[in-house]
């Protein structure tokens, strides 16, 4: 058993690798702390908050680039080239929309109302610049997460930290509803669980992320101990020992997050939770034999969904036909077809859609399309929106592949895939991933999943800890 540096490595090289590993850990944990803290500031859903987050992440990203030049990138970083180029192309187009129109016919027709102004493709270039900044920030967070979590031990602790944080946020949200007062939201608080997010539907997505993370960690701990139990009557004893030796924390966290999702009253959030939970069980199922503990846990979770589904959710499901978003969707499509190639400009939906709001939906202020897919197509134009979703789909396919081919470490791509599916589903009828704190955590979690979707994820300059029973396993 080796206690010193790897064979053939000089002492100074080992010391340099250890120092670089510490720096990488600092960058990863600092980024995670900033992203988690942003959720406490109204979900960072104010320009001052998302700007502070972006400017705080920027120096960490620059440091990550310098560190990458010194220690090299993990294999997962090289595999990101194509989706990264697609994403950068979308950012470039979004920025071009905010600049003076390069061709006169490209300018948005709204600029005819202010002939003294310099016209641009976007009807609201200032909002567009803010959104480009936010999209850039999500890319930076994703990149830092990939590099920081190539080490599976660090990835595990970061995932556990988010699980505990999300459970704590759920506790806060549940207690504020019981107490009837939310010290963070105050006047914005409702009778539904919303925690620190102004929009309860958006919080439901964040709680789903916490639900699947806690659930996956719980199942991983139970499964590993069950595998070591062998056969016979030891399974029940080992299951109980695993539960009380730490699995209970994540099991309890999953139930807290599930309760928060249900009591948020979000229909799409509840549907996303069911899909995400099923995805976790599909990814973490036993391949060689059926594990009774997994199916018992599945029955408990789905039973909780069936028996504790709140009256608010049921009532709102029955009211779907009167939902204003289904009234405006055809008008959003008409707006897309008016400028299918150029779009109206990132961040311009609110201003440009006002004239299109039908009378039956005019009682509400439609700041968003309540469908991220339609809104992105409306603002970016169809070609750029298609490129954006090609980039995201590439990431989703890699996560699916990682959840299939990885062995013990498939918990990482499995969690990321479940969060990816939940976000993609909820975005069909809402705008959760347009909330900065949610999108930032989504980027971090999917970064973990991407980093751990490849065999031999740890770079040579950052050796795996030999204290883990899974250290050194190529897959």
């Amino acid at each position: 058993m080796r206690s010193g540096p790897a064979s053939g490595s000089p002492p100074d090289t080992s010391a340099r690798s250890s120092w670089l590993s510490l720096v990488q850990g600092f960058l990863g944990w600092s980024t995670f702390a900033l992203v988690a803290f942003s959720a406490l500031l109204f979900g960072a859903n104010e320009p001052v908050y998302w700007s502070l987050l972006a400017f705080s992440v920027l120096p960490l990203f620059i440091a990550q680039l310098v560190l990458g030049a010194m220690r090299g990138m993990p294999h997962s970083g090289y595999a990101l080239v194509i989706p990264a180029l697609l994403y950068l192309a979308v950012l470039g187009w979004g920025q071009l929309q905010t600049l003076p129109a390069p061709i006169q016919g490209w300018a948005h027709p709204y600029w005819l109302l202010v002939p003294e102004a310099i016209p641009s493709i976007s009807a609201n270039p200032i909002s567009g610049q803010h959104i480009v900044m936010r999209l850039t920030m999500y890319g930076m967070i994703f990149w830092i997460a990939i590099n920081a979590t190539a080490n599976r031990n660090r990835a595990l602790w970061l995932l556990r930290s988010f699980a505990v944080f999300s459970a704590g946020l759920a506790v806060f949200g549940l207690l504020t509803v019981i107490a009837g007062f939310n010290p963070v939201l105050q006047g914005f608080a409702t009778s539904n669980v919303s925690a620190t997010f102004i929009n309860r539907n958006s919080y439901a997505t964040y709680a789903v992320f916490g639900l699947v993370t806690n659930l996956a960690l719980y199942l991983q701990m139970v499964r590993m101990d069950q595998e070591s139990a062998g056969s016979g009557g030891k399974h029940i004893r080992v299951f109980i020992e695993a539960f009380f030796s730490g699995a209970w924390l994540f099991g309890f966290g999953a139930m807290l997050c599930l309760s928060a999702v249900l009591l948020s009253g979000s229909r799409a959030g509840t549907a996303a939770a069911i899909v995400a939970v099923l995805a976790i069980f599909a990814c973490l199922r036993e391949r060689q034999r059926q594990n009774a503990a997994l199916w018992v846990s599945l029955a408990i979770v789905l039973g909780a969904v069936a028996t504790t589904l709140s009256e608010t959710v049921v009532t709102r499901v029955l009211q779907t036909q009167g939902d204003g978003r289904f009234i405006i969707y055809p008008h959003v499509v008409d707006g897309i077809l008016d400028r299918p190639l150029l779009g109206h400009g990132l961040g311009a939906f609110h201003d440009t859609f006002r004239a299109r709001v039908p009378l039956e939906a005019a009682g509400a202020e439609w700041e968003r399309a309540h469908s991220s897919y339609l809104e992105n197509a409306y603002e970016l134009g169809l070609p750029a929106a298609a490129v954006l979703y090609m980039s995201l789909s590439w990431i989703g396919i890699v996560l699916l592949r990682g959840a299939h081919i990885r062995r013990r470490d498939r918990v990482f791509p499995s969690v990321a895939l479940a969060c990816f599916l939940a976000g993609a589903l909820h975005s069909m009828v809402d705008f959760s991933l347009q909330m900065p704190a949610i999108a930032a955590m989504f980027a971090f979690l999917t970064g973990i999943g991407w980093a751990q979707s490849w065999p031999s994820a740890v770079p040579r300059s950052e050796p795996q800890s030999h204290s883990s029973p899974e250290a050194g396993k190529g897959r």
Side-chain angles (χ1 to χ4, degrees):
M1 189 172 187
R2 295 178 296 176
S3 58
S7 177
S9 299
D12 58 336
T13 302
S14 178
R16 180 174 180 271
S17 296
S18 298
W19 179 78
L20 293 177
S21 178
L22 288 174
V23 175
Q24 183 62 82
F26 172 79
L27 295 177
W29 281 103
S30 297
T31 303
F32 172 79
L34 288 171
V35 171
F37 181 71
S38 70
L40 306 180
L41 304 173
F42 300 101
N45 194 34
E46 295 290 341
V48 62
Y49 295 139
W50 71 57
S51 297
L52 285 172
L53 178 60
F55 287 117
S56 298
V57 170
L58 179 59
L60 297 175
F61 176 71
I62 294 174
Q64 182 64 69
L65 294 179
V66 174
L67 183 63
M70 296 175 62
R71 66 194 289 266
M73 290 191 300
H75 170 69
S76 56
Y78 292 102
L80 190 64
V81 172
I82 294 178
L85 289 176
L86 294 174
Y87 191 76
L88 288 173
V90 175
L91 295 181
W93 171 247
Q95 185 62 35
L96 180 61
Q97 287 181 318
T98 70
L99 302 177
I103 300 175
Q104 186 175 4
W106 286 16
H108 197 281
Y110 272 33
W111 291 105
L112 295 175
L113 301 175
V114 280
E116 67 278 7
I118 300 176
S120 61
I121 299 172
S122 173
N124 191 338
I126 294 177
S127 293
Q129 290 169 354
H130 272 268
I131 293 181
V132 170
M133 177 182 68
R134 282 156 49 182
L135 292 174
T136 304
M137 173 183 69
Y138 305 147
M140 293 190 295
I141 292 171
F142 184 73
W143 181 247
I144 294 172
I146 286 175
N147 284 270
T149 59
N151 181 298
R152 62 93 52 200
N153 291 321
R154 189 183 298 125
L156 182 60
W157 280 107
L158 283 165
L159 207 61
R160 288 174 174 174
S161 298
F162 173 68
V164 173
F165 175 78
S166 61
L169 198 60
V171 169
F172 174 79
L174 293 168
L175 290 178
T176 57
V177 170
I178 295 173
F181 174 72
N182 191 317
V184 175
L185 299 181
Q186 297 184 14
F188 294 100
T190 66
S191 58
N192 297 109
V193 174
S194 192
T196 56
F197 291 79
I198 294 178
N199 186 283
R200 58 183 175 79
N201 293 292
S202 297
Y203 170 65
T205 298
Y206 203 87
V208 172
F209 293 170
L211 165 63
V212 296
T213 302
N214 276 282
L215 182 61
L217 291 171
Y218 165 77
L219 294 178
Q220 182 200 38
M221 293 185 67
V222 171
R223 188 195 68 196
M224 289 176 61
D225 284 340
Q226 287 283 307
E227 286 178 346
S228 65
S231 59
K234 293 183 178 179
H235 282 290
I236 296 178
R237 177 178 61 81
V238 172
F239 173 80
I240 294 174
E241 290 177 354
F243 182 83
F244 287 104
S245 64
W248 68 270
L249 177 64
F250 302 114
F252 187 54
M255 297 305 297
L256 288 170
C257 291
L258 174 63
S259 300
V261 172
L262 297 176
L263 295 177
S264 71
S266 174
R267 295 165 293 180
T270 302
I274 294 173
V275 170
V277 167
L278 292 176
I280 283 294
F281 279 100
C283 292
L284 298 182
R285 72 187 188 281
E286 288 299 302
R287 299 182 181 181
Q288 302 300 327
R289 56 182 173 80
Q290 299 296 330
N291 190 315
L294 296 185
W295 293 109
V296 168
S297 301
L298 175 60
I300 292 173
V301 172
L302 295 184
V305 172
T307 58
T308 67
L309 190 61
S310 69
E311 180 182 354
T312 303
V313 174
V314 175
T315 302
R316 297 191 70 240
V317 167
L318 297 177
Q319 294 175 345
T320 298
Q321 292 183 348
D323 196 321
R325 74 190 74 190
F326 297 103
I327 298 174
I328 71 163
Y329 284 164
H331 300 274
V332 177
V333 173
D334 289 341
I336 295 171
L337 297 179
D338 277 354
R339 289 173 64 84
L341 300 180
L342 300 175
H344 296 267
L346 283 172
F349 178 83
H350 185 205
D351 294 326
T352 59
F353 190 70
R354 280 175 168 172
R356 300 178 180 273
V357 177
L359 182 62
E360 57 269 33
E365 187 70 21
W366 295 95
E367 296 183 10
R368 304 183 188 277
H370 288 261
S371 171
S372 295
Y373 299 98
L374 290 178
E375 188 168 334
N376 285 329
Y378 182 97
E379 295 183 343
L380 285 168
L382 292 174
V387 172
L388 172 63
Y389 290 117
M390 285 174 60
S391 175
L392 295 175
S393 297
W394 192 295
I395 293 173
I397 291 171
V398 167
L399 296 177
L400 177 62
R401 172 183 174 273
H404 176 70
I405 68 171
R406 296 308 303 267
R407 295 173 185 170
R408 290 182 181 274
D409 286 342
R410 70 180 184 269
V411 65
F412 302 112
S414 297
V415 168
L417 178 63
C419 292
F420 188 94
L421 293 174
L425 177 61
H426 204 170
S427 294
M428 293 177 64
V429 292
D430 229 314
F431 47 84
S432 297
L433 290 183
Q434 293 172 247
M435 300 293 102
I438 299 176
M441 187 56 74
F442 177 82
F444 199 93
L445 293 174
T446 52
I448 295 176
W450 179 281
Q452 290 293 330
S453 289
W454 312 88
S456 303
V458 178
R460 283 175 294 177
S461 60
E462 188 171 349
Q464 186 77 282
S465 170
H466 291 278
S467 61
S468 168
E470 301 171 26
K473 291 184 181 292
R475 303 180 73 170

